[in-house]
Amino acid sequence: SCATIIADILLTSQMDILDETIAMLLLAPILLDTVNLSEKAGRTFNLDIFIVNRLLEISKIDRHSFYTSLLAARNESKHLTFNDLLIMDYKEWQVVPVRYGISSIPVSIEECLTKDENFRNTVNQFFSNRGLDLLILMHTYTKRVFTREMTIFAKKPNLTVELIDWLNDNKIALKEKNVTIQETQCYFLKQGRVCDSRKKIEPLIEAFLSNQV
């Protein structure tokens, strides 16, 4: 986590600015990025564990209850529009000549469609404003079980089909969802292997696009 690196710099420097509030602010992204230091998620390093323990000493809070409250806040999306969700946690890359972006969205595909009657136009506007060739929405939510879904848009439909095949060759286990919407360049998918977050999916996409050049 970038917050781990920042906290490490502050802890090893002579700057006496790490109070309880700043420690909590640094803890939040580290715990979210590492899924509360979960070994199973495969996103935790020894430095993360060390820094979290130091920040917990300063902030004097319980890690598990704090993480639970962070999840609740992140997943509270009733007041957010679909466009808000698109930009809330969006990252962008380029493998020349393809520009692509990934939005992490904490609600299901169906909820996104419910939030915006003009779903198709909203995505098209987002897509064109950023000059994208490929846009992926990675949906996460929990209703009895933790679920991952994926929505893929591309200028060229064959690019989407080839990308899905590539991801499935890498054991991501994507299966098409039966969603009714008039959008020929859009694929709605359920992700079978739920341990794979954007940090693991994006390098696969980069490798796929690099092979296309």
Side-chain angles (χ1 to χ4, degrees):
S1 173
C2 290
T4 297
I5 298 171
I6 293 169
D8 187 39
I9 293 170
L10 292 176
L11 286 166
T12 55
S13 71
Q14 299 301 312
M15 294 183 292
D16 188 22
I17 62 171
L18 265 179
D19 57 16
E20 292 183 17
T21 300
I22 295 175
M24 286 179 64
L25 289 172
L26 289 167
L27 269 171
I30 299 172
L31 294 180
L32 288 172
D33 284 348
T34 62
V35 194
N36 198 21
L37 302 183
S38 167
E39 284 187 25
K40 188 176 180 180
R43 293 153 58 181
T44 303
F45 296 91
N46 289 336
L47 183 60
D48 294 314
I49 297 170
F50 173 77
I51 293 297
V52 164
N53 287 332
R54 289 289 306 276
L55 294 176
L56 288 171
E57 291 174 6
I58 298 169
S59 62
K60 300 179 179 62
I61 59 174
D62 177 75
R63 173 163 66 90
H64 299 289
S65 59
F66 184 51
Y67 178 69
T68 300
S69 67
L70 289 172
L71 283 183
R74 186 178 69 175
N75 295 333
E76 178 51 64
S77 60
K78 291 180 181 178
H79 64 292
L80 298 175
T81 65
F82 174 54
N83 193 64
D84 291 335
L85 293 172
L86 282 174
I87 64 176
M88 182 174 68
D89 189 1
Y90 172 77
K91 293 185 178 180
E92 192 172 292
W93 300 264
Q94 185 163 13
V95 176
V96 178
V98 178
R99 181 180 296 277
Y100 63 103
I102 304 178
S103 287
S104 291
I105 296 180
V107 299
S108 68
I109 290 170
E110 285 80 5
E111 187 167 342
C112 287
L113 293 172
T114 301
K115 277 180 172 289
D116 194 340
E117 294 180 355
N118 296 310
F119 176 90
R120 179 178 178 177
N121 291 336
T122 301
V123 169
N124 286 342
Q125 190 68 42
F126 186 87
F127 198 91
S128 62
N129 284 348
R130 287 161 178 77
L132 297 176
D133 299 286
L134 175 68
L135 173 64
I136 298 170
L137 314 184
M138 295 190 67
H139 309 261
T140 58
Y141 61 96
T142 302
K143 289 183 180 177
R144 289 180 291 184
V145 295
F146 179 71
T147 302
R148 284 190 184 276
E149 296 175 337
M150 198 178 292
T151 307
I152 304 179
F153 307 84
K155 277 185 178 179
K156 300 177 181 178
N158 65 306
L159 182 67
T160 305
V161 174
E162 291 171 7
L163 174 59
I164 292 170
D165 288 342
W166 170 268
L167 292 175
N168 281 334
D169 286 344
N170 284 274
K171 315 299 183 186
I172 304 303
L174 296 173
K175 291 186 178 180
E176 195 164 354
K177 286 175 61 77
N178 185 21
V179 177
T180 303
I181 182 173
Q182 293 181 345
E183 175 54 77
T184 56
Q185 293 178 308
C186 170
Y187 282 76
F188 298 104
L189 307 150
K190 184 170 183 179
Q191 183 178 324
R193 201 166 74 177
V194 298
C195 61
D196 293 324
S197 65
R198 178 170 60 187
K199 285 188 176 179
K200 293 187 176 181
I201 296 288
E202 191 281 322
L204 293 176
I205 296 171
E206 181 180 353
F208 164 76
L209 293 172
S210 296
N211 290 335
Q212 302 292 304
V213 177

